[in-house]
Amino acid sequence: MSEISINAERLLGRILELGDVGREDDGRLIRLAASDTEKLGRDKFVSWIERAGLEVAVDRIGNIFGIWKPAAVSNEAPLMLGSHIDTVINAGIYDGCYGVLSGLEVIETLVAAGFQPSRPIVVAAFTNEEGVRYAPDMMGSLVYAGGLDVDTALATVGTDGTKLGEELRRIGYDGEHQPGFIRPHAYIELHIEQGPVLEREGIQIGAVENLQGISWQRVTISGDANHAGTTPISMRRDAGHAAALVITFLRERARNSNTPTVATVGCMTFEPNAINVIPSRATFTVDLRDPDEERLRQEEAALEAYLAQLAKEEGVSFEVERLARFQPVWFDGRIVDLIAKAAARRGHTVRRMTSGAGHDAQMITRIAPAAMIFVPSLGGISHNPKEKTPDEDLVAGANMLLDVAKQIAGGGI
C-alpha cells in the first residue's frame, strides 16, 4: 500500500470538540474521573467509535475500547492504541485526549484505505489516568495490566468522599468485561511531550525509550498549636515551619544534583489554618521522580533521613503514607526503532528520549511490548489551559502513529 495520511480536519475538529466537554462557566476545563463531565466526554467518544463502525466494549474499571476486527482477521492478539480522556482541574485540551482520538483516527484511516490487517486494532481510553479524584494515577491501565485488584480499585474513596465503583455505576460505565480481557500484541501511545525538550531543540517527533520512576508520598508533621503573638520563636513546635524546611530541602537537593531527579510538593494543608495560630499540623504530598531506580531509592531515603533530623531539631513528629510507587520503565526497542524510522521516512526530525511524566503505556508494558510517540509542547506547558501543540505537529504525530500501526498490524513485529 502506498503512503496514506490521516484526515487532519477530522482529528483536529474532534480534539476541539472534546476540549469543550466539561467547560465550566468560568471557562475552566474539568473532566475528573467518573464525574458527570467525564461521562459526557465518554459518551462523545463512544458515539465516534460507533460512527466508525467499531465494536464498543467497557470493562469493570470503566476502560473503554473500540475494536476493529475485520472478518478475514484470525483471533490474533490485537495492536492496541490509546491513552485517556480524564483531565486535571483547569486542564488543557491535548493531554491524553490527543492519543485517544488519534488512535481512533488511525483505525478510520486504515479502514477507508482498504488496509487489511493481519491482527485486530483496538483504541483504548483508560480510566483515571490523572489520579486527581482517585489515587493512584494511571489506575485503569494498572488494573488492566494486573497490577491492582479490580475490586480494590473500585472501592477507592475519592477526594470528595465518593467511591469509584459507585460513580462508574452511576454514570453507566461499570462494564461487564474483566480488565485484561484483551491482551494486546503491542501497545503504542501518542502524547504531547508535556515538557520543553522537543520545542527547545527544534525536533518534531520524540521516540520515547523510557519513563521515569515515580514515588508519591503524603507526609504529616505534627507540632503544637499556640498563639502567634505570645509564643517566642525558640519555644515553638511549628509544623508549618517544618514543612517549609522540607520543601526547601527537596528543592535544593534536586537543584544541586547532577542527575535528572525532580521533586515536587504539590498539595499542602495546615491545621488549624488560622492567621494567628501556629500550625499544629502540616500535611503535604511529595512527588519524586528519576529514570534510575537506585537513585529514586536514594532520594526516598534522603527524605526519610531529613524528616528524622527535623523531628529532633524542631521538636515535631511525622508520619509518612505511601500513595503510589512505580519503577522506571524501558520500552520495547523494536517499536522505538519503528517510530524513529517512520519519522525519517516522512522527513521529520526525531529524538530518542525519556518521558518525565507517567503514562498508561508504562502499565501496559507489564503485559505487552509498548512504546510512545511524543510531539512538542509549546513552552513545555501542560496541566494548564495554556497547553498548546501546533496543528502541524499534531498531524505529524498522528501520521507517525498511523505508519507504525500499519507496520505492526501488517505483521512487521
Side-chain angles (χ1 to χ4, degrees), residues 94-404:
Y94 303 103
D95 179 1
C97 304
Y98 168 52
V100 172
L101 298 179
S102 294
L104 178 59
E105 177 59 40
V106 163
I107 294 176
E108 290 182 279
T109 298
L110 292 175
V111 170
F115 177 69
Q116 292 298 317
S118 61
R119 62 181 66 254
I121 305 179
V122 176
V123 58
F126 291 106
T127 295
N128 189 40
E129 192 272 353
E130 295 293 2
V132 175
R133 192 181 184 198
Y134 303 99
D137 58 346
M138 298 172 282
M139 182 186 283
S141 53
L142 178 62
V143 170
Y144 196 82
L148 177 64
D149 175 72
V150 63
D151 291 319
T152 300
L154 292 172
T156 301
V157 177
T159 56
D160 54 0
T162 59
K163 286 187 177 181
L164 175 59
E166 294 174 357
E167 287 294 273
L168 287 171
R169 188 177 310 113
R170 183 183 66 82
I171 67 171
Y173 282 92
D174 56 332
E176 60 182 20
H177 294 282
Q178 282 295 114
F181 73 104
I182 300 173
R183 190 177 185 89
H185 169 73
Y187 176 83
I188 312 172
E189 184 167 351
L190 173 62
H191 211 283
I192 60 171
E193 181 193 351
Q194 300 180 282
V197 175
L198 293 177
E199 184 198 21
R200 182 184 61 204
E201 297 185 359
I203 303 294
Q204 295 164 293
I205 298 294
V208 184
E209 294 182 307
N210 62 325
L211 282 135
Q212 295 198 97
I214 301 175
S215 170
W216 279 9
Q217 301 174 72
R218 180 184 292 118
V219 179
T220 300
I221 296 179
S222 297
D224 282 332
N226 216 328
H227 196 291
T230 63
T231 309
I233 292 294
S234 62
M235 299 178 65
R236 298 185 179 200
R237 297 180 63 240
D238 187 340
H241 174 63
L245 290 173
V246 175
I247 295 173
T248 303
F249 167 78
L250 291 171
R251 177 62 177 266
E252 290 304 308
R253 182 176 171 85
R255 185 166 61 181
N256 293 331
S257 172
N258 61 357
T259 73
T261 301
V262 290
T264 305
V265 172
C267 302
M268 177 173 284
T269 59
F270 287 165
E271 296 177 24
N273 202 35
I275 191 171
N276 59 349
V277 180
I278 298 165
S280 62
R281 185 183 297 265
T283 302
F284 55 95
T285 58
V286 177
D287 179 322
L288 298 172
R289 305 193 187 207
D290 195 287
D292 181 82
E293 173 65 17
E294 181 57 33
R295 285 200 304 263
L296 187 58
R297 289 179 182 175
Q298 290 172 1
E299 295 310 309
E300 292 171 320
L303 172 60
E304 182 179 9
Y306 186 70
L307 288 171
Q309 175 187 332
L310 270 187
K312 294 179 180 179
E313 295 177 352
E314 299 294 322
V316 296
S317 61
F318 66 91
E319 295 179 0
V320 177
E321 177 188 0
R322 172 80 69 192
L323 298 178
R325 180 59 160 83
F326 302 119
Q327 292 186 337
V329 169
W330 283 88
F331 288 131
D332 188 274
R334 298 167 302 167
I335 304 177
V336 176
D337 286 343
L338 285 181
I339 294 167
K341 291 175 182 177
R345 281 195 300 271
R346 294 237 182 200
H348 299 313
T349 51
V350 63
R351 184 189 198 276
R352 294 171 184 260
M353 61 189 303
T354 296
S355 171
H359 298 284
D360 292 309
Q362 77 187 78
M363 301 305 164
I364 302 302
T365 58
R366 299 173 182 226
I367 58 173
M372 295 188 69
I373 303 169
F374 275 175
V375 294
S377 295
L378 295 186
I381 296 173
S382 185
H383 286 184
N384 186 306
K386 295 179 182 178
E387 181 179 273
K388 178 65 177 176
T389 294
D391 288 351
E392 58 268 27
D393 291 329
L394 295 171
V395 173
N399 280 323
M400 291 302 95
L401 185 65
L402 172 67
D403 292 350
V404 176

